[in-house]
Amino acid sequence: MNRRNLVVLLIMGSIAAAVLFSRSGPPVETSASDEIRAEVPQATPEQSAKTSSAQDAQAAESSMTTAKTSLANHLRELGACLSIHNTLRDDKENNFESVVASVRSELGDLEADSLDWKNTHVVLPSGEKRRLRLEIEGTGEQSTIRRLKYYGVDADDLPVPLPLSKEQSINPSDTFLASLEKEGRITLQEEARRGLFAGGAEVYHVERDGVLSEFEISYQGKSFKCSDLESSQGRCQCF
């Protein structure tokens, strides 16, 4: 190979290398933060769901503890208001039975306890909402009737009366009430009752989904009333 041909080959090799470099481009540099992000594994949907469930359970447990502590404090206020020596324990569950147990030594057993009204909210499989309200009405001479009101719910979440026959609305049977409740998924059950202690004190209380929401006890000219007991915003009055 002569000198001229060797020069031509060197020039062509340089051009090919330049073309190859321009196509591939310079190597991309990665930063330390990019490498760290690449090493962190992403949480799966199952892991996220477990974390969320654990957080919900922890929040529920904290709420229950707060409710217990609040009820214990309110029972102390009750004793001071009605001038009675009631039993006090900080581990009492937030229900009406805890209130009865607290005052039993002073006010006696609960001798009368009757339903005043009951609300039930149901969501049908179609997504429609239904509301049932059962009210106890006095008719004189210590007799009562049960009156059922049945509602749908409009787009603004307002109740819309649904028709019932006289047999269904006046003193409805427990079987009929249960059939309406079983039409869908129950989302709320709220019940109010009135009672009388052996010592003469009158009591009214409301439970929402099995949790004490409010109560009022009247005794010897004084009354003690609590509301919003299912939340940390519970408050009481003595009058």
Side-chain angles (χ1 to χ4, degrees), residues 154-230:
D154 64 16
D156 296 321
D157 209 34
L158 297 175
V160 178
L162 298 177
L164 291 174
S165 68
K166 184 177 180 180
E167 292 74 16
Q168 293 172 333
S169 61
I170 304 298
N171 290 326
S173 67
D174 292 337
T175 301
F176 177 65
L177 291 173
S179 69
L180 294 179
E181 294 178 354
K182 291 179 180 178
E183 287 185 345
R185 176 173 55 89
I186 294 177
T187 58
L188 173 70
Q189 280 193 322
E190 190 177 35
E191 187 173 292
R193 305 185 72 89
R194 294 185 182 275
L196 182 67
F197 288 96
E202 297 178 357
V203 61
Y204 170 83
H205 68 97
V206 178
E207 287 192 337
R208 182 175 291 118
D209 293 329
V211 177
L212 184 63
S213 175
E214 62 180 272
F215 75 89
E216 180 177 354
I217 296 180
S218 300
Y219 181 60
Q220 295 184 347
K222 289 186 176 181
S223 291
F224 183 75
K225 182 177 181 179
C226 294
S227 58
D228 295 329
L229 294 176
E230 75 276 20

Side-chain angles (χ1 to χ4, degrees), residues 114-122 131-137 146-151 172-174 177-178 181 186 188-193 204-210:
S114 59
L115 181 68
D116 196 58
W117 54 262
K118 179 180 179 181
N119 289 331
T120 304
H121 292 189
V122 178
R131 294 180 181 175
L132 292 78
R133 180 169 177 89
L134 184 67
E135 298 177 346
I136 310 302
E137 299 179 357
R146 301 198 305 174
R147 187 182 299 277
L148 176 65
K149 298 179 181 179
Y150 192 43
Y151 302 94
S173 67
D174 292 337
L177 291 173
E181 294 178 354
I186 294 177
L188 173 70
Q189 280 193 322
E190 190 177 35
E191 187 173 292
R193 305 185 72 89
Y204 170 83
H205 68 97
V206 178
E207 287 192 337
R208 182 175 291 118
D209 293 329

Side-chain angles (χ1 to χ4, degrees), residues 68 72 89-93:
K68 287 182 181 181
R89 288 176 53 188
D90 290 342
D91 61 345
K92 286 183 178 297
E93 296 293 333

